[in-house]
């Protein structure tokens, strides 16, 4: 009968130090191998007996010493209380010491012998686990720990060489304050890393080996650093690291060493604890004061957490190293955080007597990707309705974690959490369930969708159509992802003085920008980094690449790549060199760009009906071949998505700057000059540049720029100031303005401090213009624009045109039988938009939109051309915008016939009038702060605005009707229409020449008129202004603006002489006077800004209005 574990003799105290022989079963007592030890009792006990006697005497002596304090207290005549007090102190000290020793023993036991701890937990009485005890997932690997212990000292030598030869030079080059940085001591200590368990994942790819190592490191590592310049010493003395490290051996090959490379990373953030020494001194160094102990540990802990990996190639010239270092995600999970119910109430009032509810919000995490929902106040059953998209890199392993908290002013209360392995979502495809919250009460409702990655663009139209019906916030659903493998650059330009740059790369798609690391002192940098972007519509988006010096002030090169190029590339991949613009002649960048479409692969999913249009149809995702499917009816109207027509226009007024730094030097730097500043603006993928103001540290530009913007959060207006030089422009500072702030407030007028420079500030005025679907205010807007127009700026926009081109039908066939590959171009003036090309069809579907700034809605038109790839024009359309001005809601949405008579297009064109609320037009000269917001408000709102003066309605009435023809007929010489206005903020007299009418014809042919203005009594060329000349007309239109810089009191002492003249002939310098008028500015209210018709008189009588 086999003895039970309780009957067998106890083994030696340490099963690790004295293991059982392999021939003995673990549940049997030692036999032949233990006989010499068992017979040790028969040997002479001389040395052992002497030792036992010595131990007894030592114990007796210690107890005798305890009585010495009692004897001394009696000899000195002290009371018993002193003895008891001393005894209490001794017992307390002894207890504390025993607790510490016991804690140390437990810690040593956990580190050195986890097998014995497991045996105790399983009540195995200090014996090794039997061979028949096994764990189904995790296996023990003591042999691996012995190898690590043997290799540990040599790993320390390698780390010392790595830190001294690689890390230290990189740190010295990263910051000018760390040029004396050195490692003075590098020791990994005697305690090696331990592997507590190994799990091998089978059934995955046949070309890789997947291991999960449960590692634990409690080491006595000691690393000391020194910055001699600041007499600073710091270091690390002791470290703890606990986590699950995934090791991937791939690719497997048929040649030695069988494995091509080893990849290592943590699926989840490990537990890291570092014992710093001298950390306070280190953080006192300039440039490092913004760091903290927590930030440093977060950076170290996230270094090897997905998607970051450590790749160790084992063979030379390994193919697809970038793919191994940063592989494509396994898929995308679209997480719909819908709601929660039954949450616990955490809010208490009146010191807990009254129970309230909770203000719940949720944190959603997958690896390092984290999202926070909005807070729902006072609700135990919140409805969030938010959608997030996360990249999944490892299946199995990664988890979806949702934590629910109650928002409080001091510390948020925990309401519960749930976790779900992403492998379950992969298996199900779509999960729509209520998940119970652990650690609290209630449930959370999630809809999880697994999106597969497609390597071709065949189903792009289906994906985009499906996404239009998906309700998603705060971001619209993505149709694709883009992975950019940034490899290297060549022959980047040098800095001033032929110094090597420290290049880094900024990659941007719309408002999302990612930055690479900086490579120091190299014009041929190697980055080997990967960047990932979500794409809403890859047909219209662009990748913007900026190569800059690490100070961000110097641009080394730029590249703009339309992502539509990838849609026609093999496997949606480009792997090549790209030539850089604004750089050296041989400067180029090597990148690999991989696009993958996001496809919801389930047969039960059907595309939703198009929103908002009656009669829209459902479309199956993949209709079966040969099935009887009714042909959908021809739509009567377009079906744009909800974001169409929601754009605003941002008017950027760059006024002036102050206290700029001087960059110009003369005579080899001995003489300090000033600067020639100009401003660069960048927003929504567009760039603007102001004029250069020469030799001025307090320049005044007074220029206006306009850009179409959307309400996508996170956008910023980037402003940079430069000094214009012959060779390379110097950096004078930068600042950023959040677009969300301007869109929410509607107006921003601030002095912004320039960053990265010692001094300087910039005065900007930003205004959001929201389009209005009424033409009643158009004349008023044109009038106001003419008044606030600056001479250096382009003509201001009066309206915004939004065009949605959905489809075309009945296009002419190519060579009579073959369908064309059509695309369309939309143009207004010099601005145009080209759609995608739809291959081989006479009924293309584009579903594309474009927006245009319109300056003269009465005179401009929308030009549309449908062309075939390689076949020329298939049809065209010219739509005058004046037709929109008389349409309902300024919108036309219908089929339009192309000019060739064959083919039609379905488009929607809508116009929005841009009414400025802060134009600066004043109602009275004393109401300086009153802007032209009064022009655009409805009459019933005037009573609600007490800051508006009483004459504001009069100004509105005047601007609306001032250009209507007067009842009295024009004089014999005709009339001139002009506006005279004093701009108080700009301290300028503004004159606007609109037009003339009914001019006198002296000869057989009509005259070639122009208008000359003179500010009397000064007749010098400095005050003289002149319009352009119009050919052969009696009713010329000028619409030109002129300015004179002078104070208001001086302007009131002047007279404006307006003369309408005509050239006699092409070769003659003689001018015929057609008429003139002289205006005494003291008799005109210059704050009104009203357009007026004035009768022209001859030279003797200078007329009146």
């Amino acid at each position: 009968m086999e003895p039970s574990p309780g009957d067998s003799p106890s083994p030696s105290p340490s099963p690790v130090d004295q293991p059982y022989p392999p021939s003995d079963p673990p549940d049997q007592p030692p036999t032949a191998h233990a006989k010499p030890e068992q017979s040790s009792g028969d040997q002479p006990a001389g040395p052992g007996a002497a030792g036992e006697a010595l131990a007894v005497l030592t114990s007796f002596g210690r107890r005798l010493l305890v009585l010495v304090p009692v004897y001394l207290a009696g000899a000195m005549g002290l009371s018993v209380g002193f003895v008891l007090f001393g005894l209490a102190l001794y017992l307390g000290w002894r207890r504390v010491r025993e607790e510490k020793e016991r804690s140390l023993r437990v810690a040593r036991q956990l580190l050195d012998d986890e097998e014995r701890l497991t045996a105790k937990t399983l009540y195995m009485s200090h014996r090794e686990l039997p061979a028949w005890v096994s764990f189904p997932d995790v296996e023990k690997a003591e042999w691996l720990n012995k190898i690590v212990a043997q290799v540990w000292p040599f790993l320390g030598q390698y780390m010392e060489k790595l830190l001294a030869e690689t890390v230290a030079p990189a740190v010295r080059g990263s910051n000018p304050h760390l040029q004396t940085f050195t490692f003075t001591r590098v020791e990994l200590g005697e305690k090696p890393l331990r592997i507590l368990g190994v799990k091998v994942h089978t059934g995955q790819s046949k070309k890789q080996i997947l291991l999960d190592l449960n590692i634990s490191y409690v080491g006595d590592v000691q690393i000391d650093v020194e910055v001699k310049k600041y007499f600073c010493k710091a270091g690390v003395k002791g470290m703890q690291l606990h986590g699950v490290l995934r090791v991937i051996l791939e690719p497997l090959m048929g040649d030695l060493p069988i494995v091509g490379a080893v990849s290592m990373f943590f699926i989840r953030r490990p537990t890291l604890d570092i014992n710093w020494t001298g950390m306070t001194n280190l953080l006192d160094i300039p440039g490092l004061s913004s760091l903290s102990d927590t930030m440093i540990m977060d950076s170290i802990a996230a270094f090897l957490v997905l998607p970051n990996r450590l790749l160790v190639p084992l063979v030379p010239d390994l193919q697809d190293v970038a793919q191994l270092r940063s592989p494509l995600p396994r898929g995308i999970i679209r997480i719909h955080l819908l709601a929660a119910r039954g949450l616990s109430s955490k809010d208490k009032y009146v010191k807990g007597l009254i129970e309230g509810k909770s203000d719940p919000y949720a944190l959603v995490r997958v690896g390092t990707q984290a999202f926070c929902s909005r807070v729902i106040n006072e609700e135990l059953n919140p409805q969030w309705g938010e959608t997030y998209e996360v990249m999944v890199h490892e299946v199995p392993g990664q988890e979806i974690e949702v934590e629910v908290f109650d928002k409080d002013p001091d510390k948020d209360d925990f309401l519960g959490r749930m976790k779900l392995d992403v492998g379950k979502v992969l298996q199900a495809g779509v999960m729509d369930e209520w998940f119970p919250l652990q650690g609290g009460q209630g449930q959370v409702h999630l809809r999880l969708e697994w999106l597969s990655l497609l390597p071709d663009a065949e189903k792009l139209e289906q994906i985009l159509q499906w996404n239009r019906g998906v309700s998603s916030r705060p971001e619209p659903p993505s149709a694709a992802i883009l992975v950019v493998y940034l490899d290297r650059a060549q022959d980047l330009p040098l800095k001033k003085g032929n110094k090597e740059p420290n290049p880094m790369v900024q990659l941007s798609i719309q408002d999302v920008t990612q930055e690479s690391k900086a490579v120091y002192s190299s014009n041929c940098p190697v980055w080997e980094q990967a960047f990932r972007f979500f794409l809403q519509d890859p047909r219209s988006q662009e990748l913007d690449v900026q190569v800059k010096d690490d100070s961000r002030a110097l641009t080394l090169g730029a590249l703009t790549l339309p992502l539509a190029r990838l849609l026609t590339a093999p496997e949606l991949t480009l792997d090549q060199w790209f030539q850089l613009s604004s750089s050296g002649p041989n400067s180029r960048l090597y990148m690999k760009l991989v696009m993958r479409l996001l496809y919801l692969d389930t047969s039960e999913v059907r595309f939703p009906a198009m929103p908002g249009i009656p009669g829209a149809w459902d479309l199956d995702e993949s209709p079966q071949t040969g099935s009887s499917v009714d042909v959908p009816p021809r739509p009567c109207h377009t079906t744009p998505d909800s974001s169409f027509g929601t754009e605003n226009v941002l008017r950027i007024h760059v006024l002036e700057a102050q206290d700029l730094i001087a960059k110009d030097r003369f005579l080899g730097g001995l003489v300090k000059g000033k600067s020639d500043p100009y401003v660069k603006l960048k927003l929504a993928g567009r760039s603007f540049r102001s004029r250069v103001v020469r030799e001025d540290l307090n320049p005044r530009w007074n220029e206006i720029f306009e850009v179409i913007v959307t309400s996508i959060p996170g956008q910023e207006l980037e402003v940079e100031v430069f000094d214009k030089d012959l060779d390379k422009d110097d950096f004078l500072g930068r600042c950023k303005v959040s677009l969300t702030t301007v869109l929410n407030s509607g107006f921003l007028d601030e002095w912004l401090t320039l960053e990265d420079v010692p001094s300087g500030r910039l005065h900007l005025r930003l205004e959001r213009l929201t389009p209005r679907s009424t033409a009643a205010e158009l004349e008023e807007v044109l009038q106001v624009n003419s008044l606030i127009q600056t001479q250096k700026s382009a003509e201001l926009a009066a309206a915004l045109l939004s065009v949605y081109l959905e489809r075309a039908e009945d296009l002419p066939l190519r060579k009579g039988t073959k369908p064309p590959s059509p695309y369309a171009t939309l143009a207004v003036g010099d601005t145009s938009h080209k759609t995608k090309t739809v291959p081989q069809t006479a009924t293309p579907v584009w579903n594309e939109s474009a927006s245009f700034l319109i300056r003269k809605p009465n005179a401009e038109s929308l030009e549309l051309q449908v062309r075939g790839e390689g076949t020329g024009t298939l049809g065209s359309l010219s739509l005058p915008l004046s037709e929109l001005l008389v349409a309902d809601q300024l919108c036309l949405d219908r089929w339009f016939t192309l000019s060739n008579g064959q083919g039609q297009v379905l488009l929607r064109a809508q116009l929005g009038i841009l009414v400025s609320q802060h134009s600066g037009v004043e109602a009275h000269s004393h109401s300086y702060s009153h802007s032209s917001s009064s022009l655009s408000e409805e009459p019933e709102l005037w009573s609600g605005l007490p800051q508006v003066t009483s004459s504001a309605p009069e100004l509105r009435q005047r601007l609306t009707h001032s250009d209507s023809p007067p009842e009295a007929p024009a004089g014999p010489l005709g009339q001139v229409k002009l506006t005279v206005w004093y701009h108080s903020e700009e301290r300028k007299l503004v004159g606007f020449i609109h037009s003339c009418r009914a001019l006198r014809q002296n000869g057989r042919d009509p005259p070639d008129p122009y208008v000359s203005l003179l500010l009397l009594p000064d007749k010098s060329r400095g005050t003289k202004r002149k319009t352009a000349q119009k050919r052969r007309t009696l009713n010329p239109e000028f619409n030109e603006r002129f300015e004179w810089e002078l104070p208001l009191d001086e302007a009131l002492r002047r007279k404006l002489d307006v003369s309408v003249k005509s050239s006699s002939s092409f070769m003659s310098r003689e001018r015929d006077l057609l008429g003139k008028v002289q205006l005494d500015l003291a008799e005109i209210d210059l704050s009104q800004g009203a357009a007026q018709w004035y009768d022209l008189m001859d030279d003797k009588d200078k007329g009146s209005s």
Side-chain angles (χ1 to χ4, degrees):
M1 184 174 178
E2 199 171 304
S4 64
D7 299 334
S8 60
S10 299
S12 56
S14 177
V16 174
D17 298 334
Q18 300 179 9
Y20 294 116
S23 59
D24 295 333
D27 57 347
Q28 295 291 336
T31 56
H33 300 280
K35 285 182 180 180
E37 297 181 6
Q38 291 175 353
S39 61
S40 61
D42 299 335
Q43 296 178 358
E52 291 180 2
L54 182 60
V56 171
L57 290 175
T58 303
S59 177
F60 177 75
R62 288 177 177 174
R63 285 169 173 76
L64 191 61
L65 288 175
V66 175
L67 300 176
V68 173
V70 180
Y71 172 76
L72 293 177
M76 298 175 63
L78 299 176
S79 65
V80 182
F82 283 94
V83 178
L84 295 177
F85 179 72
L87 182 61
L89 287 178
Y90 170 74
L91 293 176
W93 169 80
R94 185 173 179 179
R95 182 174 181 180
V96 171
R97 181 170 179 176
E98 288 177 351
E99 289 289 337
K100 288 185 177 180
E101 290 178 350
R102 187 158 62 90
S103 299
L104 290 174
R105 285 196 301 270
V106 171
R108 178 70 65 177
Q109 188 177 27
L110 289 173
L111 293 174
D112 297 341
D113 196 3
E114 78 279 358
E115 291 181 355
R116 184 170 60 180
L117 180 64
T118 305
K120 285 184 179 180
T121 306
L122 298 177
Y123 306 100
M124 294 300 293
S125 301
H126 300 273
R127 124 185 0 258
E128 286 189 330
L129 292 175
W132 45 266
V133 176
S134 64
F135 296 97
D137 291 333
V138 180
E139 301 177 7
K140 301 174 64 176
E142 271 308 307
W143 61 272
L144 194 55
N145 286 325
K146 293 176 181 179
I147 294 176
V148 173
Q150 190 78 11
V151 175
W152 194 253
F154 300 95
L155 182 61
Q157 297 175 14
Y158 169 74
M159 288 296 298
E160 183 176 1
K161 182 185 296 184
L162 176 67
L163 294 176
E165 298 179 359
T166 304
V167 177
V171 173
R172 286 193 289 266
S174 65
N175 194 309
H177 301 289
L178 300 178
Q179 293 179 355
T180 58
F181 176 90
T182 55
F183 287 96
T184 58
R185 183 178 182 181
V186 179
E187 294 181 2
L188 289 189
E190 299 179 357
K191 299 178 181 178
L193 177 85
R194 293 191 59 80
I195 301 174
L196 304 181
V198 179
K199 180 178 181 180
V200 181
H201 293 277
T202 59
Q204 303 296 318
S205 174
K206 297 296 183 181
K207 295 183 179 180
Q208 65 175 205
I209 300 175
L210 204 63
L211 307 173
D212 280 345
L213 307 181
N214 188 0
I215 63 173
S216 177
Y217 176 58
V218 182
D220 52 353
V221 60
Q222 187 161 352
I223 302 175
D224 295 334
V225 300
E226 181 179 5
V227 183
K228 296 180 180 179
K229 180 179 179 181
Y230 298 98
F231 306 100
C232 175
K233 294 182 180 180
V236 174
K237 189 175 182 180
M239 178 189 298
Q240 293 190 35
L241 178 67
H242 309 279
V244 177
L245 179 69
R246 174 156 292 184
V247 178
I248 301 178
L249 309 178
E250 67 172 338
L252 302 181
M253 306 179 301
D255 298 323
L256 290 177
I258 306 301
V259 177
V262 179
S263 301
M264 293 176 285
F265 54 88
F266 289 97
I267 296 179
R268 288 176 288 275
R269 174 192 172 108
T271 301
L272 178 67
D273 186 16
I274 300 177
N275 182 24
W276 301 101
T277 59
M279 200 63 195
T280 305
N281 298 332
L282 182 63
L283 294 181
D284 287 338
I285 300 176
L288 297 181
S289 57
S290 62
L291 299 177
S292 67
D293 187 24
T294 304
M295 291 173 61
I296 293 175
M297 286 196 291
D298 288 346
S299 301
I300 295 174
F303 177 69
L304 280 178
V305 179
L306 277 177
N308 304 306
R309 299 169 184 244
L310 176 63
L311 179 69
V312 181
L314 301 181
V315 296
D317 301 327
L318 184 65
Q319 299 294 326
D320 294 329
V321 175
Q323 187 72 17
L324 292 175
R325 182 175 287 110
S326 301
L328 287 172
R330 291 284 305 276
I332 306 297
I333 294 183
R334 185 172 289 160
I335 304 174
H336 299 272
L337 176 65
L338 301 176
R341 64 187 180 191
L343 300 180
S344 58
S345 59
K346 291 291 185 178
D347 294 341
K348 301 291 189 294
Y349 306 101
V350 195
K351 295 185 178 182
L353 297 178
I354 300 176
E355 181 175 348
K357 295 186 178 181
S358 292
D359 308 319
Y361 68 94
L363 292 178
V364 181
R365 295 191 188 93
V366 177
T368 57
Q369 305 167 87
F371 307 91
C372 182
S373 75
R374 71 184 193 279
V375 178
I376 307 296
N377 294 320
E378 295 290 328
E379 183 62 63
L380 299 182
N381 301 289
Q383 301 282 335
W384 288 295
E386 299 187 11
T387 303
Y388 315 105
E389 293 171 332
V390 295
M391 297 185 184
V392 178
H393 298 274
E394 289 297 320
V395 181
Q398 288 191 275
E399 292 181 331
I400 301 173
E401 182 179 3
V402 179
E403 293 182 316
V404 184
F405 292 88
D406 167 40
K407 186 68 177 178
D408 283 332
D410 47 0
K411 183 179 179 182
D412 298 345
D413 297 318
F414 178 72
L415 298 179
R417 73 163 53 87
M418 63 79 60
K419 290 185 178 181
L420 181 69
D421 191 277
V422 296
K424 297 183 179 179
V425 185
L426 173 59
Q427 294 175 0
V430 176
M431 297 181 66
D432 192 341
E433 297 181 14
W434 287 90
F435 297 90
L437 294 175
Q438 306 297 325
Q441 68 180 42
Q443 296 174 309
V444 61
H445 187 192
L446 299 179
R447 177 181 170 85
L448 308 172
E449 301 170 349
W450 180 271
L451 306 179
S452 304
L453 305 183
L454 301 184
D456 58 73
E458 180 181 353
K459 296 187 177 181
L460 178 59
E461 287 299 329
Q462 293 183 3
I463 294 172
L464 293 174
Q465 189 173 354
W466 170 260
N467 285 351
R468 292 189 195 100
V470 175
S471 176
S472 173
R473 63 178 183 182
E475 299 291 339
S478 301
I481 64 167
L482 175 69
V483 180
V484 181
Y485 297 100
L486 177 65
D487 188 19
R488 65 187 65 223
Q490 282 186 355
D491 298 327
L492 295 179
L494 302 178
K495 296 195 292 186
K496 282 188 176 180
N498 289 329
K499 293 182 179 179
E500 297 279 355
N502 303 324
M504 53 80 63
V505 180
Q506 291 180 338
L507 300 103
S508 303
I509 295 180
Q510 287 185 343
D511 58 324
V512 179
T513 300
Q514 300 186 40
E515 293 187 352
S516 74
K517 65 183 179 182
V519 179
Y520 297 97
S521 302
S522 175
N523 71 329
C524 296
V526 177
W527 292 285
E528 294 183 341
Q529 287 184 263
F531 305 90
R532 302 163 183 87
F533 297 90
F534 283 101
L535 307 176
Q536 276 77 44
D537 188 353
R539 302 171 305 178
S540 58
Q541 293 178 282
E542 293 181 338
L543 173 65
D544 181 63
V545 182
Q546 299 282 333
V547 184
K548 297 185 177 182
D549 191 66
D550 65 337
S551 64
R552 275 66 167 181
L554 173 63
T555 300
L556 304 175
L559 169 68
T560 299
L561 181 68
L563 298 182
R565 282 184 56 184
L566 279 85
L567 296 175
T568 57
E571 295 187 351
L572 307 183
T573 302
L574 290 178
D575 189 359
Q576 65 184 63
W577 287 98
F578 294 90
Q579 188 69 33
L580 294 174
S581 61
S582 304
S583 187
N586 300 320
S587 300
R588 55 181 188 164
L589 192 68
Y590 192 85
M591 295 188 300
K592 180 179 180 181
L593 293 88
V594 181
M595 182 188 295
R596 291 293 183 264
L597 303 187
L598 307 183
Y599 183 64
L600 183 59
D601 188 10
T602 171
S603 59
E604 298 179 359
V605 175
R606 292 172 59 88
F607 286 104
M610 291 298 206
I613 299 298
W617 62 90
D618 290 341
L619 179 65
D620 287 337
E621 181 182 349
S622 55
Q624 299 295 326
T625 304
S627 61
S628 56
V629 179
D630 294 336
V631 177
R634 168 171 160 162
C636 298
H637 302 284
T638 61
T639 55
D641 55 26
S642 58
S643 62
F644 173 74
T646 60
E647 300 93 344
N648 295 295
V649 175
L650 182 65
R651 182 169 288 173
I652 308 169
H653 196 169
V654 182
L655 295 168
E656 56 186 324
Q658 290 182 354
D659 301 327
L660 299 181
I661 57 177
K663 285 289 186 177
D664 293 342
R665 298 290 190 275
F666 306 101
L667 300 179
L670 297 178
V671 180
K672 183 178 181 180
K674 295 185 178 181
S675 292
D676 307 320
Y678 67 91
V679 179
K680 290 179 68 175
L681 307 168
K682 186 175 181 181
L683 175 65
R686 295 198 59 190
S687 298
F688 305 94
R689 175 172 166 171
S690 73
R691 61 188 174 92
V692 178
V693 179
R694 299 291 180 186
E695 294 292 326
D696 199 341
L697 300 182
N698 299 286
R700 186 175 184 85
W701 292 282
N702 190 28
E703 295 187 51
I704 300 177
F705 307 94
E706 293 175 320
V707 60
I708 302 172
V709 295
T710 61
S711 58
I712 298 177
Q715 298 184 86
E716 289 183 325
L717 169 64
E718 299 181 12
V719 186
E720 293 180 317
V721 185
F722 291 91
D723 167 40
K724 183 66 177 178
D725 284 333
L726 294 177
D727 49 356
K728 184 181 178 182
D729 299 346
D730 297 317
F731 178 71
L732 298 181
R734 69 162 55 87
C735 59
K736 292 183 178 181
V737 180
S738 172
L739 183 61
T740 304
T741 303
V742 183
L743 295 181
N744 291 338
S745 63
F747 183 71
L748 183 68
D749 187 352
E750 288 187 6
W751 283 91
L752 304 175
T753 302
L754 296 178
E755 301 174 356
D756 302 331
V757 287
S759 67
R761 60 178 190 158
L762 182 67
H763 188 189
L764 291 181
R765 183 178 296 149
L766 309 175
E767 182 182 4
R768 179 203 69 207
L769 302 179
T770 302
R772 301 188 180 186
S773 55
T774 173
E777 299 170 306
L778 176 59
E779 293 300 327
E780 165 190 327
V781 169
L782 293 173
Q783 177 71 19
V784 171
N785 285 355
S786 68
L787 296 177
I788 65 176
Q789 174 76 41
T790 63
Q791 287 184 325
K792 304 298 181 180
S793 304
E795 187 176 354
L796 298 181
L800 177 67
L801 174 65
S802 299
V803 182
Y804 182 80
L805 180 60
E806 182 169 303
R807 62 183 63 220
E809 286 189 359
D810 302 328
L811 295 180
L813 301 180
R814 184 176 57 180
K815 296 182 180 180
T817 57
K818 295 183 179 180
S821 298
Y823 65 90
T825 58
L826 301 162
V828 175
D830 297 332
T831 307
S832 62
H833 171 80
K834 179 182 176 182
T835 69
K836 65 183 179 183
T837 301
V838 182
Q840 303 292 321
T841 179
T843 58
V845 177
W846 291 295
N847 289 330
E848 294 192 29
S849 60
S851 299
F852 304 90
L853 291 175
I854 307 300
R855 289 160 178 82
K856 298 178 179 179
N858 289 306
E860 297 184 70
S861 60
L862 171 66
E863 304 294 336
L864 181 144
Q865 274 197 343
V866 181
R867 304 177 64 88
E869 196 74 41
T871 60
T873 303
L874 302 176
S876 61
L877 170 69
S878 180
L879 178 62
L881 301 186
S882 56
E883 294 185 14
L884 293 175
L885 293 176
V886 298
D888 184 31
Q889 298 294 313
L890 307 186
C891 178
L892 292 176
D893 187 350
R894 58 181 174 84
W895 287 93
F896 292 85
T897 303
L898 299 178
S899 59
N900 61 355
Q902 183 175 358
Q904 292 181 313
V905 292
L906 178 62
L907 69 82
R908 176 188 180 97
Q910 66 183 40
L911 202 63
I913 308 301
L914 302 176
V915 180
S916 173
Q917 303 291 322
H918 302 270
S919 61
V921 178
E922 303 167 12
H924 271 301
S925 59
H926 62 267
S927 58
Y928 177 82
S929 62
H930 173 59
S931 68
S932 67
S933 61
S934 58
L935 305 180
S936 57
E937 301 294 336
E938 295 300 325
E940 60 269 16
L941 297 181
W942 290 106
S943 60
L945 297 175
Q947 71 273 19
V948 180
T949 60
S950 59
S951 63
E954 300 172 7
L955 175 63
R956 173 185 172 89
Q957 183 76 13
R958 180 167 54 252
L959 288 180
T960 306
H961 303 287
S962 59
D963 58 344
S964 57
E967 297 179 1
L973 301 182
Q975 290 181 322
V976 59
K977 181 182 179 183
L978 60 90
T979 299
V980 184
W981 178 55
Y982 190 81
H983 200 318
S984 301
E985 292 188 24
E986 304 294 334
R987 300 183 295 277
K988 291 180 181 179
L989 178 67
V990 179
F992 197 95
I993 306 300
H994 299 277
S995 59
C996 297
R997 65 181 179 184
L999 295 179
R1000 179 180 59 183
Q1001 182 173 339
N1002 293 330
R1004 182 179 59 184
D1005 297 325
D1008 300 332
Y1010 69 91
V1011 180
S1012 174
L1013 298 98
L1014 195 62
L1015 202 57
L1016 301 177
D1018 188 0
K1019 296 185 177 182
S1020 65
R1021 296 178 61 90
T1023 65
K1024 190 174 182 179
R1025 306 288 188 268
K1026 185 174 70 171
T1027 70
Q1029 190 174 23
K1030 303 299 179 181
R1031 301 287 296 174
R1032 297 183 179 276
T1033 177
L1034 298 177
N1035 301 285
E1037 293 281 345
F1038 299 103
N1039 292 323
E1040 295 188 36
R1041 173 191 173 105
F1042 304 97
E1043 297 177 353
W1044 294 267
E1045 292 191 12
L1046 71 167
L1048 178 60
D1049 54 352
E1050 183 178 348
L1052 294 176
R1053 294 194 296 268
R1054 298 292 190 102
K1055 293 184 178 181
L1056 182 62
D1057 184 84
V1058 183
S1059 301
V1060 182
K1061 301 180 180 181
S1062 173
S1063 299
S1064 297
S1065 64
F1066 177 73
M1067 302 296 295
S1068 173
R1069 295 177 57 90
E1070 297 181 4
R1071 302 290 185 265
D1072 293 336
L1073 180 64
L1074 302 180
K1076 66 188 307 182
V1077 62
Q1078 194 173 98
L1079 304 178
D1080 190 349
L1081 300 183
E1083 299 177 357
I1084 300 176
D1085 189 352
L1086 297 179
S1087 66
Q1088 294 181 357
Q1092 197 107 350
W1093 285 100
Y1094 294 91
D1095 289 334
L1096 295 175
M1097 301 296 176
D1098 56 21
D1099 203 8
K1100 297 179 180 179
D1101 186 4
K1102 294 175 179 124
S1104 60
S1105 62

